[in-house]
Amino acid sequence: DMLDRVNEYAYLTENGIPLGDIAYRDFVMGNCPIDAPSPETVEQFRKTIDAAEAGDAEAQYTAAMMAMEGAVGLPDFDAAGKWLQKAADVGHPGALYELGICRLNGEGMQPDAIDAVHLLESAADLGNVDAMLTLASIWRGAKGVPADAKKVFAWYKRAADAGSAYGWMHVGICAFNGEGTPTDRAYALECVKTAVRLGCSDAKMLYRRMERYLEENQDEQKRQIFSARNDAHTIGNVGLCCRMQRT
């Protein structure tokens, strides 16, 4: 398994044997990519595993992410899930979030949207903004979870209050369209402007579109022309930004 490969790589390094030779063998056997991990990566991973096994929650989280990303060999979601669970059990926010995404997508474990929501809520309650944004996407109706516009707005608002530019942009969209909150277009523009100030490039274009629409439709009744954008929140396989759909 992954830890066995780490120990083997470490032994080879200590005895001056090129890692490339064993990496090529493992590549032929389908155990890992052809690129050998550097000796530094092997040593870092081994120290991380030692600390994780000693009960260090941060090391457990780091070990999980290294396993998930294939730092040594192919991505190993089974190992990642084990370490995430250990760190989550002691309240590590990042581990709760990542475990929620794994549970949602069935990575290394059976998919369970309800359990995923609970894990993500726990992470969000500990201040994890990624979890807040992901929950907003889930409550749009992802993974069989019933859509709930009020919860969508509530989670975007929590993310915005925590300083998320993306959260402010989506609060503005919800307020502009009256989705989960009363329609308030002046407030919507202020929210999107806040997102712009916080560096959200998507919000700049959106702000101009909103202003143009209001100028062109001053006498019309409200119309919901701005659908909630999923951009980084692809509902097909939920998780935040590039973590939403692991490749």
Side-chain angles (χ1 to χ4, degrees):
D1 62 12
M2 178 181 59
L3 185 55
D4 289 336
R5 286 198 297 276
V6 171
N7 290 332
E8 184 176 20
Y9 285 150
Y11 173 82
L12 293 171
T13 299
E14 291 165 358
N15 287 276
I17 301 172
L19 290 181
D21 294 348
I22 196 71
Y24 183 76
R25 182 209 68 187
D26 283 351
F27 168 73
V28 172
M29 295 176 64
N31 292 329
C32 73
I34 193 167
D35 291 335
S38 68
E40 293 76 17
T41 298
V42 172
E43 182 61 20
Q44 178 192 0
F45 196 83
R46 189 166 62 165
K47 288 180 178 178
T48 299
I49 292 294
D50 288 343
E53 289 180 337
D56 186 312
E58 187 64 32
Q60 290 165 350
Y61 173 71
T62 301
M65 299 308 295
M66 293 181 76
M68 200 178 295
E69 294 164 2
V72 179
L74 294 174
D76 188 338
F77 286 104
D78 290 336
K82 180 188 77 171
W83 291 120
L84 287 175
Q85 187 65 65
K86 287 180 179 295
D89 286 344
V90 294
H92 189 288
L96 285 163
Y97 166 70
E98 293 292 345
L99 190 62
I101 297 300
C102 287
R103 178 66 73 187
L104 191 69
N105 294 332
E107 296 170 335
M109 58 192 70
Q110 287 296 314
D112 186 330
I114 301 303
D115 187 41
V117 167
H118 291 157
L119 289 163
L120 292 167
E121 286 176 342
S122 295
D125 288 343
L126 292 170
N128 189 290
V129 175
D130 289 354
M132 299 173 196
L133 293 170
T134 302
L135 283 162
S137 280
I138 290 173
W139 285 111
R140 290 195 181 283
K143 299 291 186 178
V145 175
D148 188 323
K150 289 184 178 179
K151 289 184 178 179
V152 172
F153 175 78
W155 282 113
Y156 277 134
K157 184 61 166 61
R158 281 189 62 174
D161 289 341
S164 167
Y166 198 81
W168 278 116
M169 184 178 77
H170 275 274
V171 167
I173 292 171
C174 291
F176 196 91
N177 291 332
E179 296 172 342
T181 188
T183 301
D184 186 337
R185 288 177 172 169
Y187 175 64
L189 285 172
E190 285 303 312
C191 290
V192 177
K193 187 183 293 185
T194 299
V196 173
R197 285 200 300 269
L198 291 173
C200 181
S201 58
D202 287 343
K204 293 180 181 179
M205 183 183 300
L206 180 62
Y207 186 81
R208 290 194 293 268
R209 288 178 60 206
M210 285 181 168
E211 278 197 318
R212 184 167 62 250
Y213 172 78
L214 293 176
E215 290 171 358
E216 294 172 353
N217 298 275
Q218 291 181 11
D219 299 325
E220 290 188 15
Q221 296 295 319
K222 65 180 182 181
R223 291 167 50 196
Q224 295 183 357
I225 63 163
F226 290 99
S227 60
R229 299 175 59 193
N230 291 318
D231 295 340
H233 293 275
T234 303
I235 286 177
N237 195 28
V238 183
L240 181 70
C241 299
C242 63
R243 307 264 323 122
M244 282 268 207
Q245 290 185 308
R246 299 192 179 106
T247 54

